[in-house]
Amino acid sequence: MKNSVTGNTQHLVILTGAGVSAESGIATFRDALTGLWENYDAETLASEFGFRADPALVWGWYEWRRNRVLRAQPNPAHYAISQLEKKLPKLTLITQNVDDLHERAGSLKVSHLHGSLNKPRCLTCDESYAFPDEVLPNATSDRESRIDPPRCDLCDGLIRPGVVWFGEQLPANAWKSAEDACRDCDLMLVIGTSGVVRPVADLPYLADKKGASLVQINPIISGLNGVANFNLAGKAGEVLPELYAAAFPNT
Ligand code: APR
């Protein structure tokens, strides 16, 4: 891995999941202890059907998540990734995460395949919506807080979270770019994902088919252990800085 990164890597693709933000205190989806989905069915919270059925519950849950992100800080994994971006000829960062911790750690180009908490829009006319600056107090308490979503200035439609919900298409351009990058890269780092949600979980197989080396960082076995050439069992915030230091010892 170290030689790969310092040696002849021309194009590194990094794919991150919720695990890369875990050490920033952001709950992952399926981890037993922190799982966001505990007590809820994903379809209830992360789908248009669920939102239309109970807008205040779903909006309140996303606001609770957004406020947790507002109060969180990037962790050493996010910073190591932004440092790698400066060191390598080409790095494509693809994330399933809807937080902005990669950006706040200095990554300049981040492809959010599952959308962003910071880009809400009108459910009816798609007009984007800008959050007021203040953090909503009742959204910081717990994830059961119900908050009526704001209304669109243009058509008075409901404002929905800017994330990709179950059953929705991924952003077409971002997805095409992600596929192209995986078909072009010579090294792929997969960090903190259970590798169970398609089509993103198919990306490592594109890189593998191209002959790229695949390295996974995850404390436990994921759905991608079989396709990875190296499975580094550890926390991203610990393993990545070590990898970086080994690859670039004098920086
Ligand atoms: N470092 C690295 N990996 C970690 C860490 C850590 N500190 N902590 C947890 N993990 C791993 C877990 O072992 C797990 O494999 O991160 C992974 C998180 O998996 P999920 O909770 O399933 O999150 P993710 O893979 O990002 O989910 C993909 O599913 O629900 C949808 O849209 C949602 O984007 C999400 C998608």
Side-chain angles (χ1 to χ4, degrees), residues 81-221:
I81 289 169
S82 73
Q83 289 305 313
L84 279 171
E85 188 178 50
K86 300 179 177 68
K87 286 284 187 186
L88 294 173
K90 188 175 180 183
L91 186 151
T92 302
L93 176 53
I94 303 162
T95 188
Q96 300 170 93
N97 299 341
V98 294
D99 64 52
D100 61 349
L101 295 175
H102 281 304
E103 290 87 344
R104 285 161 57 191
S107 288
L108 300 176
K109 279 186 72 183
V110 185
S111 177
H112 286 269
L113 291 185
H114 287 172
S116 167
L117 287 171
N118 296 322
K119 294 190 175 163
R121 64 182 189 273
C122 176
L123 183 67
T124 306
C125 72
D126 245 14
E127 177 72 6
S128 59
Y129 171 80
F131 283 111
D133 292 341
E134 80 282 2
V135 174
L136 295 176
N138 62 348
T140 57
S141 53
D142 61 44
R143 61 182 151 187
E144 274 75 22
S145 55
R146 300 168 68 84
I147 304 173
D148 289 328
R151 289 277 176 172
C152 173
D153 291 338
L154 287 189
C155 74
D156 199 39
L158 287 173
I159 297 300
R160 56 157 289 172
V163 302
V164 177
W165 276 329
F166 285 103
E168 293 186 324
Q169 293 297 311
L170 273 58
N173 293 340
W175 174 248
K176 172 82 171 59
S177 303
E179 285 186 306
D180 292 346
C182 291
R183 290 193 176 107
D184 175 67
C185 71
D186 38 20
L187 179 63
M188 183 171 187
L189 253 176
V190 181
I191 306 168
T193 181
S194 54
V196 296
V197 176
R198 304 218 175 299
V200 175
D202 295 331
L203 290 174
Y205 294 87
L206 292 183
D208 177 55
K209 197 170 172 189
K210 188 267 174 183
S213 295
L214 267 75
V215 179
Q216 178 179 218
I217 299 174
N218 195 322
I220 65 171
I221 290 175

